[in-house]
Amino acid sequence: MPAGLPGFVRSASSNKNPATAPEVPLAPSQTASHWLGKHCLAWGDYRRLSAQMNKNSYNIMALAPNTSNKRETVCIFGTGDFGRALGHKLIQSGYPVVFGSRNTQTSSLIPKDAEVLSHTEAAQKAAIIIIAIQRQHYSFLTSLAEILHGKVLVDVSNNLKINQYPESNAEYLAQLVPGAKVVKAFNTVSAWALQSGTLDASRQVFVCGDDMEAKQMVMDIVRALGLTPLDQGSLLAAQEIENYPLQLFPLWKFPILLSLGLVAFFFFYSLIRDVIYPYVYESEDFSFFIAISIPNQICPIVALILLALVYLPGVLAAIIQLYRGTKYSRFPDWLDKWMLCRKQLGLVALAFAFLHVLYTLVIPIRSFMRWRTSNQILSLALKNETEPLNMTNAWLSDSYLALGILGFSLFFLLGITSLPSVSNNVNWREFRFVQSKLGYLTLILCTAHTLVYGGNRFLSPSSYRWYLPNAYMLSLIVPCIVLVVKFVLIFPCLDKPLTRIRQGWERNPQYSDRSNYIINKSAV
């Protein structure tokens, strides 16, 4: 029992040898007061002693991991921006770093805890060497082939153009130093991201190599830096990894080019109908329509067509599967690429829909609209007439606005759920419900919004200038085709076999029942 605990005191004989003195129990009424009075100083000493012991224990525990988990030295060839940033990050993560450079003089730019040596001396100090130099400077490594034999060489270089060389930089490095274990990594992380610590947008690091042990060592370093390694297989994948940072919005190219093509087409189409035609036949100058009116026609048209194009490939895929009677036959390449960029098509469509909303909000403050409204009021006042409310037009106007508001709201919801931060928090059934069921509902509402806007003008001869229909009529072609075909596909006579096909059923299986029986028997 340790000294100084309440309930026990040492006997008088304990003064000379307190460690061996017997403990005498006190009466319950005497315990607290006796202990506080006699051992208050001892308790203070005890607290100070405990605090000192805890402090010492913390120091011991803090030093223990550094002693037991001492990290191995990493060598970096190259003292450029990326090499210095990576070296600084490695030092922060507890790795001893040595730089190999042509100039061994220490610079203020080099991390202060790093050592700068010649390439030969630096290579001898580490088993992992990061080659942070450009491919055209690899030639000096051949003279170090004997020193680099058996070491792990991490190639972090990128090229200026996609497929600039016949082989990847990592494969070229492996040819120069055949005895080394080459690993491709870190080429998708920028020096700025390493220096600023802004790694949220580039946290993934692609890693590939032929030696599993070497690749694992590099992936351990990646994790220690707070990054996420992604194993891409052998060194044959290095070409693709090196091309990845050079790609400029690969999945956005088709949607952007398509939207620009649609914008150009409908701009000139509307320019002919709404500006050139009145100028030729009515001698009226409506060239100012180019600023607001024509863009406000183009934006909803392009948005509706792109939204329909999001769901058209799914309809075409269903038709192809029904025709082939199987899901195990590959779709055409153009359909594969189309389906991969549906998210981007939808987001571009949402951007055009948002622009349409902004253009619509500024219509009442336009000078042309104020002039036309005041002109109509003065004309009725001079004639001493009033124009009665047309209930049909009132219903069409309110219905048109209501459908537009509902359609844009669901459109905005589709855009939000396509964001990774949102889609990662919903399961597949919820995501499919929003993107498929609510997506088709959005397409229906936006199509109805356009149809109600047209009203009975579809049959009016004045709507066809130079035999050209209104631009919004053209925008209804693709959405109506998608909705009609989708409506046909939900009939039970087509939906049931399509569901079976997507569950693995085949109309004409590759093996007959007899061959399947033989295969199953041989497997048993």
Side-chain angles (χ1 to χ4, degrees):
M1 179 69 66
L5 293 180
F8 290 88
V9 293
R10 296 289 182 182
S11 62
S13 61
S14 65
N15 294 334
K16 294 183 180 180
N17 190 7
T20 58
E23 294 174 337
V24 180
L26 294 174
S29 60
Q30 300 175 339
T31 301
S33 60
H34 187 278
W35 184 81
L36 288 173
K38 298 294 184 181
H39 298 279
C40 186
L41 181 60
W43 174 243
D45 295 339
Y46 171 74
R47 291 182 62 185
R48 286 193 293 272
L49 180 61
S50 299
Q52 184 66 30
M53 291 176 64
N54 289 337
K55 182 177 179 180
N56 294 337
S57 64
Y58 292 154
N59 294 335
I60 294 171
M61 292 180 66
L63 293 174
N66 294 335
T67 304
S68 59
N69 296 330
K70 183 175 177 60
R71 300 188 187 276
E72 57 186 332
T73 302
V74 177
C75 173
I76 300 178
F77 279 4
T79 55
D81 293 338
F82 185 82
R84 296 196 307 268
L86 184 58
H88 182 71
K89 195 71 176 177
L90 287 168
I91 292 173
Q92 287 182 335
S93 302
Y95 283 93
V97 174
V98 56
F99 283 94
S101 177
R102 294 170 295 179
N103 185 8
T104 58
Q105 293 182 356
T106 303
S107 170
S108 60
L109 298 175
I110 303 295
K112 63 179 181 178
D113 294 328
E115 190 177 5
V116 181
L117 302 173
S118 65
H119 292 114
T120 302
E121 294 173 330
Q124 292 173 344
K125 285 198 169 188
I128 299 178
I129 303 173
I130 298 175
I131 312 297
I133 57 178
Q134 296 296 328
R135 171 179 174 142
Q136 55 266 29
H137 304 300
Y138 283 180
S139 56
F140 80 94
L141 296 173
T142 55
S143 60
L144 303 176
E146 184 177 352
I147 299 175
L148 299 178
H149 184 81
K151 295 184 180 292
V152 179
L153 303 185
V154 184
D155 180 75
V156 301
S157 64
N158 283 320
N159 295 319
L160 299 177
K161 296 186 296 184
I162 294 178
N163 298 327
Q164 184 174 355
Y165 300 101
E167 72 284 331
S168 66
N169 295 344
E171 291 173 309
Y172 175 68
L173 179 61
Q175 294 172 9
L176 289 179
V177 191
K181 305 171 185 178
V182 178
V183 177
K184 185 73 183 184
F186 292 111
N187 68 303
T188 57
V189 182
S190 66
W192 177 85
L194 289 172
Q195 289 174 343
S196 62
T198 311
L199 296 170
D200 292 337
S202 56
R203 191 170 293 275
Q204 293 181 339
V205 175
F206 299 110
V207 181
C208 72
D210 294 331
D211 189 282
M212 290 298 298
E213 184 179 355
K215 192 161 52 174
Q216 187 61 47
M217 293 171 65
V218 175
M219 288 194 291
D220 290 341
I221 294 178
V222 173
R223 294 188 188 95
L225 298 181
L227 304 173
T228 304
L230 295 178
D231 190 350
Q232 299 296 301
S234 69
L235 207 60
L236 295 175
Q239 185 90 34
E240 183 179 356
I241 295 176
E242 292 174 4
N243 289 336
Y244 180 77
L246 302 176
Q247 296 175 351
L248 182 63
F249 303 116
L251 294 179
W252 289 87
K253 185 179 296 185
F254 172 70
I256 291 176
L257 292 178
L258 177 62
S259 61
L260 291 178
L262 290 173
V263 167
F265 171 78
F266 283 106
F267 173 79
F268 289 108
Y269 188 90
S270 300
L271 186 68
I272 293 172
R273 290 192 75 262
D274 300 333
V275 177
I276 298 178
Y277 181 88
Y279 184 78
V280 172
Y281 285 95
E282 301 170 6
S283 300
E284 294 183 356
D285 184 9
F286 290 127
S287 58
F288 61 90
F289 279 5
I290 296 176
I292 298 292
S293 298
I294 291 180
N296 198 31
Q297 293 179 25
I298 294 173
C299 288
I301 290 172
V302 176
L304 182 59
I305 293 176
L306 292 179
L307 180 61
L309 292 177
V310 171
Y311 295 96
L312 181 57
V315 171
L316 295 177
I319 295 174
I320 292 174
Q321 288 179 335
L322 283 172
Y323 174 76
R324 294 175 175 175
T326 180
K327 71 171 186 178
Y328 298 109
S329 180
R330 185 178 178 84
F331 291 131
D333 289 339
W334 58 268
L335 185 57
D336 271 339
K337 295 178 181 178
W338 189 354
M339 296 182 74
L340 287 175
C341 66
R342 286 181 295 178
K343 173 184 174 180
Q344 287 73 18
L345 280 171
L347 292 176
V348 174
L350 178 60
F352 278 101
F354 188 74
L355 286 176
H356 172 53
V357 172
L358 295 180
Y359 276 119
T360 303
L361 291 176
V362 302
I363 285 179
I365 63 175
R366 294 175 62 200
S367 177
F368 171 71
M369 295 302 297
R370 294 200 306 268
W371 169 82
R372 189 169 70 174
T373 303
S374 60
N375 210 25
Q376 291 174 351
I377 294 173
L378 288 174
S379 177
L380 291 174
L382 291 174
K383 294 178 181 179
N384 197 19
E385 295 178 355
T386 58
E387 186 175 344
L389 176 64
N390 189 324
M391 294 300 296
T392 302
N393 289 338
W395 267 106
L396 289 175
S397 176
D398 285 3
S399 300
Y400 152 74
L401 293 174
L403 290 170
I405 292 172
L406 292 175
F408 180 73
S409 300
L410 290 180
F411 211 156
F412 191 71
L413 178 62
L414 293 177
I416 291 177
T417 54
S418 66
L419 298 176
S421 58
V422 178
S423 60
N424 291 338
N425 292 320
V426 297
N427 58 37
W428 171 245
R429 185 175 182 182
E430 294 168 344
F431 182 80
R432 186 172 179 271
F433 172 79
V434 173
Q435 295 294 329
S436 180
K437 301 297 189 298
L438 294 185
Y440 274 106
L441 178 59
T442 304
L443 183 59
I444 292 172
L445 290 173
C446 293
T447 305
H449 169 70
T450 308
L451 286 169
V452 174
Y453 168 78
N456 57 2
R457 284 182 289 177
F458 290 95
L459 304 177
S460 176
S462 62
S463 298
Y464 297 86
R465 297 175 176 178
W466 281 334
Y467 303 101
L468 298 176
N470 271 304
Y472 72 86
M473 297 182 187
L474 300 180
S475 69
L476 290 169
I477 297 175
V478 179
C480 289
I481 291 175
V482 173
L483 292 176
V484 169
V485 177
K486 182 63 178 178
F487 178 73
V488 173
L489 289 175
I490 63 176
F491 286 168
C493 59
L494 295 176
D495 183 61
K496 288 184 178 179
L498 181 61
T499 303
R500 292 180 62 194
I501 289 172
R502 289 176 174 174
Q503 291 177 347
W505 176 80
E506 293 183 272
R507 185 186 304 120
N508 299 313
Q510 185 177 0
Y511 301 103
S512 63
D513 294 339
R514 177 62 180 170
S515 60
N516 285 335
Y517 173 77
I518 295 174
I519 292 173
N520 292 334
K521 289 292 289 182
S522 62
V524 174

